[in-house]
Amino acid sequence: MAKGLSVYRQCLRSVQQSFRGDQFMLHNSRKELRSKFEANRHVLDSGAVKKLLAEGAEAADFIKTFVVQAKLNERGNFEMKVQPHHADATAEEAALRR
């Protein structure tokens, strides 16, 4: 239970960081996240629980590392503010950090 809550909070922090300032995406991603965790609330098999927790941690890391919010600027182009943790990130590196 405590580990599940920890992974849930990790996912929430990743969503908050990635979608900061975008209320639509914040609301809907939180809603989807809650739905996914609620759907698996009653899983009791320890192997299945470990797998779900690993998937949740991986999803949080993926969101934090690979999701960059683009915003429409005054010229009609989309621009992104890439953070240092986005630079040169690869899926393999993200997997190794877990």
Side-chain angles (χ1 to χ4, degrees):
M1 172 74 175
K3 180 68 173 167
L5 188 56
S6 174
V7 171
Y8 180 71
R9 287 180 177 158
Q10 182 182 356
C11 289
L12 284 175
R13 283 189 296 274
S14 294
V15 163
Q16 178 67 32
Q17 178 182 341
S18 295
F19 299 121
R20 183 174 289 124
D22 186 340
Q23 293 305 311
F24 176 80
M25 285 302 298
L26 279 170
H27 172 75
N28 286 301
S29 57
R30 287 178 186 150
K31 185 176 173 182
E32 180 69 14
L33 181 61
R34 173 105 183 175
S35 169
K36 296 293 184 188
F37 272 79
E38 286 292 333
N40 293 297
R41 174 180 282 245
H42 301 292
V43 174
L44 299 175
D45 177 64
S46 63
V49 169
K50 285 181 183 179
K51 182 180 179 203
L52 288 167
L53 291 173
E55 289 173 1
E58 183 178 347
D61 194 45
F62 181 89
I63 292 167
K64 182 179 177 182
T65 306
F66 295 108
V67 175
V68 180
Q69 193 78 353
K71 294 183 182 179
L72 190 62
N73 65 21
E74 65 279 349
R75 296 184 320 255
N77 299 320
F78 285 93
E79 63 185 353
M80 302 180 298
K81 292 184 181 176
V82 179
Q83 303 296 320
H85 63 271
H86 292 121
D88 299 322
T90 66
E92 291 79 17
E93 291 171 348
L96 291 174
R97 280 187 259 156
R98 288 185 282 133

